[in-house]
Amino acid sequence: MPRFPSCQRPSSGDDPASESSSASSPDRAEFDDNDFFMLQANDSQSSIGASTFRDMAVSPARDRERYRSPISRLPPEILITIFSKLGSTAELRTCMLVSKRWAKNSVDLLWQRPLCNNWKNLLNVVHSVRKAHAYFAYYDLVKRLNLTSLAADVSDGTIMPLAVCKRVERLTLTQCTKLTDTGVKALLEGNRNLLALDFAGLEHITDYTLLAVADNCSRLQGLNISACKLVTDKSLCALSENCKALKRMKLNECSQLTSASITSLAKNCRQMLEIDLHNCKLTNDAAVTALLTHGMHLRELRLGYCKLITDEAFLAVPKDRIVDTLRILDLTACDLLTDSAVAKIISCAPRLRNLVLAKSDRITDHAVRSISKLGKNLHYVHLGHCAHITDNAVIDLVKACNRIRYIDLACCHRLTDASVIHLATLPKLRRIGLVKCQAITDRSILALARAKPGGAHGSQLVYSSLERVHLSYCVHLTLRGIHVLLSHCPRLTHLSVTGVQAFLRADITVFCREAPTEFNDHQRDLFCVFSGLGVRGLREHLANRANSENFMYGEGDDPAEDTQQVAGLMHATALNVNNDEIDEEFAEDSEVGGEEQG
């Protein structure tokens, strides 16, 4: 076998390695099969000559790597993270044009949620997903599909071409009222990845579609079929048996559903977090009992206008069953419920945060005292139209639940200034509803405007945190009280004083928003609601004219004297908050309040 001639390494006096080597000994052959470290007697010498070898054996790929830009050497996961921070689809499209590598790492972000907000965009999407021999399989990249922007015109023919997208995880067809079972079922067939479906308002779909969901979408976690009035127990029972991962369901106004299907959901879907049965008029006690008994993770239960529900729905829940995950309970217009049901609810769900008992006209002070046991957990309470509630119950509620942020007491006509003065002490109160509480006066308004203790230890006074105040038909209110409220509540963005005569004047209503189109002439004449810029304009208007003798004061009134009265009244309010006996006297001193208490 021929041998290549040996090459003498040039010696240099500056090279330490050359001094230790014999000048007559030949160097290793350039193409010797042996690895360089195998020729060394000592492992410690294995590094000698390594750099020379590697320099001679650089591959073309390594050479190309040397000249690539730093961003081109980033791993895919970092590139994808960077691309995900871009603010628009146009920027993502630009990234796709840089190189094949960038295209591969940005195409998923661009196509996982294709924009279908107009017909041009939708046609482009359809063309791309159906295109043969495309560089990317676009139909497999689509994860979310939302056609709500075109809801009025979307039909079965519109969505049939999208049936090739079999990896969709979230499908939203809200209010696409022209769709039928034929088109929707085509999107569902063979799609095993669906996690969330929104069919709200699809009034033409039937059990046929829901059975397709049950057959194909075993991973489904969220379903909204609000107002799908043709759906019955048959399909919902099949759904509960095949889609046991369901966590969130909205079944509003599904008028044919009965307790049979709801009970099946409760027993089979043990991971249920939220269920909305608003206006499911056939829902009865058995369904509610099953949900509370089997819903180990239930956080939100809405039963508004389920008028068949009675106390037994809650009293039948086992005594040792504590639903400590339940945070939201809506029982609007469940008018068969009494104080006994409320007491059981509080003992069963001691960590409730939002409780709605509006239009439950059998509720009395006993129920409110039961609610008080929620303590600091209670943030939102709606007791509108609970006409039997009195000041005493509200005062007890405020003392026990000092973290209330929203409270609605509309049409609780027994309430007086005493209730509102105590409500005004709530440090986190954001919204308050007092519509048609006709016994309240400016004293309540001044209390709401009063600064509250704040800071780290309550050592300083801070402005009121009120954002929305509803005072419609509180006929004893005046401009001077509202002026103080606006001046001392900088966060206030909504104020309703419909039907209050003092505000039905041209220089005030100019800041009012437009009345709803469905209102009749009489309602339009009384409408007076300020929002956003309207509140700001009203605040500035009242401030600019506060010193005008003919603005907020009648003839013969002394503005200076009235200002002193207002200041004294606010001071008295501050004192009364901390003294129960003075509060009662303060409430009785109110002309209307005294009549109400009597």
Side-chain angles (χ1 to χ4, degrees):
M1 182 175 182
R3 295 179 60 86
F4 291 100
S6 62
C7 297
Q8 183 84 16
R9 181 185 299 174
S11 62
S12 173
D14 297 330
D15 186 358
S18 64
E19 297 178 359
S20 61
S21 302
S22 171
S24 60
S25 61
D27 284 344
R28 176 173 56 89
E30 185 176 358
F31 298 99
D32 199 316
D33 290 338
N34 292 319
D35 291 322
F36 69 90
F37 59 84
M38 296 178 64
L39 301 179
Q40 304 296 332
N42 190 337
D43 288 344
S44 64
Q45 300 177 13
S46 63
S47 61
I48 299 176
S51 59
T52 303
F53 173 80
R54 288 174 179 172
D55 287 342
M56 295 171 62
V58 171
S59 66
R62 186 182 297 273
D63 189 53
R64 287 195 301 269
E65 182 73 17
R66 178 184 302 174
Y67 294 105
R68 290 172 63 189
S69 63
I71 195 169
S72 298
R73 295 198 293 268
L74 290 175
E77 57 269 20
I78 294 181
L79 273 178
I80 292 172
T81 301
I82 293 173
F83 293 150
S84 67
K85 305 298 182 183
L86 297 178
S88 68
T89 55
E91 292 173 340
L92 281 172
R93 284 197 298 270
T94 302
C95 290
M96 284 191 65
L97 299 176
V98 172
S99 66
K100 289 183 179 180
R101 187 166 183 267
W102 277 38
K104 290 178 181 179
N105 290 300
S106 60
V107 67
D108 279 355
L109 295 171
L110 187 61
W111 272 88
Q112 67 176 350
R113 194 176 184 175
L115 190 62
C116 301
N117 59 340
N118 57 53
W119 283 106
K120 180 181 178 181
N121 288 344
L122 180 59
L123 290 174
N124 286 337
V125 170
V126 170
H127 175 74
S128 298
V129 298
R130 292 172 62 88
K131 184 177 181 180
H133 311 298
Y135 188 78
F136 294 107
Y138 295 109
Y139 51 84
D140 279 341
L141 300 178
V142 178
K143 298 294 187 293
R144 299 185 181 187
L145 197 55
N146 188 338
L147 303 180
T148 304
S149 298
L150 304 172
D153 301 313
V154 170
S155 63
D156 289 344
T158 307
I159 63 175
M160 291 289 278
L162 297 172
V164 296
C165 303
K166 297 301 183 183
R167 294 190 178 181
V168 177
E169 295 177 357
R170 298 177 183 273
L171 177 61
T172 304
L173 302 173
T174 308
Q175 299 301 324
C176 296
T177 53
K178 293 183 180 180
L179 292 178
T180 67
D181 290 328
T182 303
V184 179
K185 186 173 183 293
L187 290 179
L188 299 173
E189 289 290 348
N191 195 331
R192 309 294 179 182
N193 298 298
L194 276 165
L195 300 176
L197 292 172
D198 191 341
F199 296 158
L202 273 62
E203 54 190 23
H204 297 301
I205 67 170
T206 67
D207 288 339
Y208 187 65
T209 293
L210 270 293
L211 289 172
V213 174
D215 291 339
N216 293 277
C217 310
S218 59
R219 298 175 58 196
L220 192 66
Q221 296 180 14
L223 176 65
N224 184 354
I225 54 171
S226 299
C228 297
K229 298 182 179 181
L230 300 180
V231 173
T232 70
D233 287 344
K234 176 183 177 181
S235 60
L236 210 61
C237 287
L239 194 73
S240 67
E241 293 171 0
N242 295 338
C243 304
K244 297 187 177 182
L246 275 168
K247 295 181 178 181
R248 294 173 175 85
M249 295 198 70
K250 292 181 72 69
L251 307 175
N252 312 13
E253 301 181 15
C254 293
S255 53
Q256 296 194 52
L257 298 183
T258 71
S259 291
S261 56
I262 307 304
T263 301
S264 180
L265 283 171
K267 292 180 177 179
N268 290 298
C269 304
R270 297 299 185 92
Q271 303 300 315
M272 189 71 69
L273 299 176
E274 304 169 9
I275 185 165
D276 191 340
L277 299 171
H278 178 87
N279 208 23
C280 291
K281 297 181 178 180
L282 299 180
T283 300
N284 60 20
D285 293 344
V288 179
T289 303
L291 287 169
L292 292 175
T293 301
H294 300 289
M296 307 302 293
H297 304 281
L298 194 62
R299 290 195 312 218
E300 182 176 330
L301 178 59
R302 297 187 181 274
L303 301 167
Y305 292 89
C306 296
K307 291 182 173 290
L308 297 181
I309 296 175
T310 69
D311 289 353
E312 189 60 28
F314 301 97
L315 298 177
V317 176
K319 293 183 178 180
D320 58 345
R321 177 73 176 104
I322 303 298
V323 193
D324 58 358
T325 57
L326 191 62
R327 296 292 182 271
I328 300 174
L329 178 61
D330 186 350
L331 296 168
T332 302
C334 295
D335 49 14
L336 297 180
L337 298 180
T338 69
D339 295 341
S340 299
V342 177
K344 176 62 177 180
I345 289 168
I346 303 306
S347 63
C348 179
R351 300 185 66 185
L352 269 176
R353 182 169 295 176
N354 292 22
L355 178 60
V356 182
L357 291 168
K359 300 182 180 179
S360 299
D361 54 10
R362 301 190 185 193
I363 298 300
T364 70
D365 285 357
H366 294 293
V368 179
R369 291 193 176 95
S370 296
I371 296 170
S372 299
K373 295 178 182 178
L374 293 173
K376 65 180 182 180
N377 292 313
L378 187 64
H379 290 180
Y380 178 113
V381 59
H382 196 323
L383 299 170
H385 296 267
C386 296
H388 299 294
I389 295 174
T390 68
D391 288 334
N392 291 332
V394 174
I395 291 171
D396 290 342
L397 180 68
V398 172
K399 290 178 179 178
C401 307
N402 64 353
R403 293 190 180 181
I404 293 176
R405 291 167 169 77
Y406 176 103
I407 186 166
D408 196 320
L409 298 166
C411 300
C412 295
H413 64 271
R414 295 174 181 265
L415 301 183
T416 69
D417 289 329
S419 290
V420 184
I421 290 169
H422 274 81
L423 289 168
T425 66
L426 292 169
K428 298 185 178 182
L429 188 63
R430 302 285 186 272
R431 304 181 182 185
I432 184 168
L434 298 168
V435 174
K436 293 187 178 180
C437 293
Q438 297 183 350
I440 70 171
T441 68
D442 280 351
R443 292 186 172 187
S444 295
I445 307 307
L446 296 174
L448 290 172
R450 184 177 60 84
K452 300 176 177 64
H457 304 287
S459 57
Q460 59 184 6
L461 293 178
V462 296
Y463 278 115
S464 170
S465 58
L466 278 173
E467 297 172 359
R468 299 174 69 90
V469 179
H470 303 269
L471 300 168
S472 296
Y473 300 101
C474 296
V475 295
H476 295 288
L477 301 183
T478 67
L479 278 175
R480 67 188 67 172
I482 297 301
H483 170 52
V484 174
L485 181 70
L486 291 172
S487 300
H488 291 78
C489 298
R491 297 183 182 179
L492 195 67
T493 58
H494 181 94
L495 174 66
S496 63
V497 284
T498 296
V500 181
Q501 194 64 35
F503 295 86
L504 302 179
R505 42 190 288 181
D507 63 321
I508 299 296
T509 56
V510 69
F511 302 104
C512 175
R513 74 185 191 192
E514 291 292 327
T517 55
E518 63 270 18
F519 275 20
N520 58 38
D521 291 340
H522 177 67
Q523 291 172 321
R524 288 176 179 276
D525 291 340
L526 296 177
F527 185 79
C528 195
V529 177
F530 306 91
S531 296
L533 294 177
V535 173
R536 182 186 302 176
L538 180 63
R539 180 185 288 117
E540 293 174 355
H541 176 66
L542 295 180
N544 291 337
R545 301 191 58 181
N547 296 323
S548 173
E549 294 184 4
N550 298 322
F551 175 53
M552 290 187 290
Y553 305 94
E555 295 182 3
D557 290 341
D558 183 357
E561 179 182 349
D562 193 86
T563 301
Q564 293 176 356
Q565 291 177 357
V566 170
L569 191 55
M570 292 188 71
H571 180 65
T573 302
L575 294 176
N576 288 344
V577 166
N578 298 317
N579 192 310
D580 294 341
E581 295 180 359
I582 299 179
D583 275 333
E584 294 173 0
E585 293 174 1
F586 182 72
E588 292 171 356
D589 286 342
S590 169
E591 182 179 344
V592 180
E595 293 176 2
E596 288 297 322
Q597 284 191 344

